[in-house]
Amino acid sequence: MRRNMISQEAKNVMAFMASTKLPDISNLPIELLRQGLVGMMSFALPPSGCTFDQVNVGGPEALWVRAVQQNPNSKATIFYLHGGAYSMGSPQTHIGVTGLLSDLSQIRVLSLDYRLAPENPYPAAIEDAVRAYRWLLQQGVPPESIVIGGDSAGGGLTFATLLKLRENGDPLPAAAFAMSPWVDLAHTGETMRTKAEEDPMFTEIGINYMAGLYLNGADSRSPLISPLYADLRGLPPTLIHVGTREMLLSDSQRMAAALQKAGVDCTLKEWEDLFHVFHSAVYLPEARIACEEIAAFIKSHIHPT
């Protein structure tokens, strides 16, 4: 399913990104890349009235994001895993999108500050996500009141976390969502090549470099690294959003097909002419519309405790 809509604001953002895209980031210090992401995301502000509270979740740190006028007694929770190629980003960089999701759904968000590569490569992020999910359960939040989701690497981590929870026999959340998920770190999708010229953000060199930081020598096709290659049976209902101008388009298309083949209720939404995780540019009309759809999906699956 595709939505044919592109605003002038989105065109302007993509033109700016294309003008600043670096052909090779592998020689840049990781701290500089992290600062660059902070700067880019600083324009994405959360809705007025959102509150943010730090919390330790069984080891890792996380951020409670709550929109104004939420039911303070509700246990319903969006468990969010931020993007940033497993080596950049934090709950703070993503307060725009988590705040918007909380506002639109009127459900609190627990945004996890998982450990980053290269200091903490695979499997650190998955270990932290599993600990945080179990912490939620220990707080009395029932699994049917949790929806897990994330963007880019956080989308891939969403599926990896579900797989690890299933492997361990933990109860799974009610549903999952992923924005432009990175689910094939072997980069075998055809749009890695066919979309290379029109993707305003990524280059093949850059994506391969960031993958290497997380892999640290591990097999790129390991199911917990690249969930595209996993047995996906038994995962909860899933919504995937992706833009058609991104090199990772094939990741979403193939993941949706694999989930459906495994018997999982999965909906794929392709957004015509839009870029990787456009949802995070919350000032764009397309971002709000897409987040409204995700919020409606969450509310349709979550148990309103």
Side-chain angles (χ1 to χ4, degrees), residues 56-102:
N56 185 281
V57 289
E61 296 294 316
L63 191 69
W64 277 120
V65 181
R66 296 180 177 90
V68 67
Q69 296 181 343
Q70 281 183 14
N71 178 1
N73 298 316
S74 174
K75 293 182 179 180
T77 303
I78 301 168
F79 180 35
Y80 195 84
L81 303 169
H82 69 79
Y86 292 107
S87 56
M88 300 177 289
S90 69
Q92 287 72 28
T93 59
H94 284 65
I95 58 173
V97 67
T98 55
L100 183 57
L101 288 173
S102 181

Side-chain angles (χ1 to χ4, degrees), residues 7-204:
S7 67
Q8 186 59 50
E9 297 97 318
K11 292 178 182 178
N12 294 341
V13 169
M14 286 190 287
F16 175 75
M17 289 192 297
S19 70
T20 58
K21 182 168 75 169
L22 298 175
D24 184 2
I25 62 171
S26 60
N27 293 319
L28 296 177
I30 189 62
E31 283 303 327
L32 183 61
L33 296 175
R34 289 170 176 166
Q35 292 168 16
L37 180 62
V38 169
M40 182 176 71
M41 298 292 279
S42 66
F43 296 99
L45 301 177
S48 176
C50 283
T51 62
F52 307 95
D53 299 291
Q54 289 288 141
V55 61
N56 185 281
V57 289
E61 296 294 316
L63 191 69
W64 277 120
V65 181
R66 296 180 177 90
V68 67
Q69 296 181 343
Q70 281 183 14
N71 178 1
N73 298 316
S74 174
K75 293 182 179 180
T77 303
I78 301 168
F79 180 35
Y80 195 84
L81 303 169
H82 69 79
Y86 292 107
S87 56
M88 300 177 289
S90 69
Q92 287 72 28
T93 59
H94 284 65
I95 58 173
V97 67
T98 55
L100 183 57
L101 288 173
S102 181
D103 184 61
L104 293 171
S105 66
Q106 285 297 294
I107 295 171
R108 63 184 183 173
V109 177
L110 183 69
S111 185
L112 179 63
D113 194 9
Y114 57 86
R115 288 171 291 167
L116 300 177
E119 298 91 340
N120 297 282
Y122 168 81
I126 300 173
E127 292 172 347
D128 287 353
V130 169
R131 287 192 190 102
Y133 180 80
R134 289 175 172 168
W135 178 86
L136 270 176
L137 299 181
Q138 291 164 3
Q139 306 312 300
V141 182
E144 59 269 22
S145 296
I146 303 171
V147 169
I148 188 173
D151 65 280
S152 193
L157 182 57
T158 292
F159 294 118
T161 301
L162 289 169
L163 292 167
K164 191 64 177 177
L165 292 171
R166 187 192 64 185
E167 176 185 308
N168 292 339
D170 293 293
L172 298 183
F177 66 92
M179 312 169 192
S180 304
W182 191 22
V183 294
D184 179 16
L185 273 66
H187 300 145
T188 61
E190 65 174 0
T191 56
M192 283 291 295
R193 301 178 301 278
T194 61
K195 298 290 182 177
E197 293 301 317
E198 56 183 293
D199 189 317
M201 293 181 66
F202 295 139
T203 65
E204 183 178 3

